[in-house]
Each structure stands twice: as C-alpha cells, then as structure tokens.
Amino acid sequence: AVVSTQSTGESHFTPTTSLLSGLFRTCTWQKQPVLLGAMTTLLRDSEGVSGDQLTAGVEKCLTHCMRGVDDVKHQQVRLGAIKLTEAALELCSRLNIVISETVLQTVLTHFRDLVSCEGNQNLKALGIEIVTHIENIL
C-alpha cells in the first residue's frame, strides 16, 4: 500500500497518511472505520519507507486518530482507532522507530480516558494493553 513513483522511487507515504488523517478528522462517523482501516493497512505495508518519513507518518496517524478513541457513541470507530494505534506501536517496536514523547503522552492521555469510561470489556482490555505498552516506552 506504499505508493511510489516508478521514475524517481520517491515515496508518497507521508502525504498519503496526511491525506487519510485529514479526511478522518473531517468525515462523518460512518466513514471513519474505513479510513482507520486504510491507515492501518498503510502502516502495516510500510516496509521500505525511509525512517524519517515513517516516523512522521506514524506520528500523524497517532495524533489524528485520537478523535476516534474519544468517540463515545460509536464502538466501531473506537475499535478502528485502537487497531490503528496497535499497528503503529507494533511497527515502531519492530523497526525501532522513536516516536516523540509529546505524541506518546497525548496518546496515553486519550487511552487512559478510554479505559476509565469504556463499557465494552473487550475494548477496555485492548485499551489497557496500549496504556501499559506506552507506559513501558516512556
């Protein structure tokens, strides 16, 4: 899912994550799970993207998907945001990508809020795993 031009080999990973993240922030809740899924796929298929571009794309995805984590009405949106966050953290762990402490603190705050008020036990358990993972990073 990494888009690149044949002639230059230039990766369009960061602009694509910026586009999807921006669309996520402005679209209706019905379309958000699709965009979250697209961002998750983009992250999972990002082998070969340079370190700086990958870091910028991951940070953009993480900060913009927090709106989905905060969506108290729509369980599918929260699940998509949780899966995207899991994929981003897994990618960072696998490729030794260092995410800024500010971004990690923001994500941690949103997930602590999710865990404190989530009624669905499965989503709450996933949220606890992410909180624990980020606390171990910090």
Side-chain angles (χ1 to χ4, degrees), residues 37-104:
M39 287 190 282
T40 302
T41 300
L42 187 64
L43 286 180
R44 287 189 175 139
D45 294 342
S46 61
E47 304 296 328
V49 176
S50 72
D52 290 343
Q53 284 186 330
L54 197 53
T55 301
V58 168
E59 287 184 349
K60 176 97 42 194
C61 285
L62 284 173
T63 55
H64 284 80
C65 84
M66 290 304 105
R67 178 178 176 209
V69 172
D70 297 339
D71 188 333
V72 295
K73 290 184 181 179
H74 306 104
Q75 185 172 316
Q76 280 187 313
V77 174
R78 288 194 310 279
L79 179 60
I82 290 169
K83 285 184 177 182
L84 174 60
T85 304
E86 285 177 330
L89 293 175
E90 178 184 306
L91 180 70
C92 292
S93 178
R94 192 174 73 240
L95 300 179
N96 295 321
I97 297 169
V98 178
I99 300 298
S100 77
E101 188 173 330
T102 305
V103 171
L104 289 174

Side-chain angles (χ1 to χ4, degrees), residues 109-119 124 127-128 131:
T109 300
H110 285 271
F111 271 90
R112 282 182 175 154
D113 290 346
L114 169 87
V115 167
S116 69
C117 64
E118 180 59 59
K124 187 172 193 159
I128 290 169
V131 166

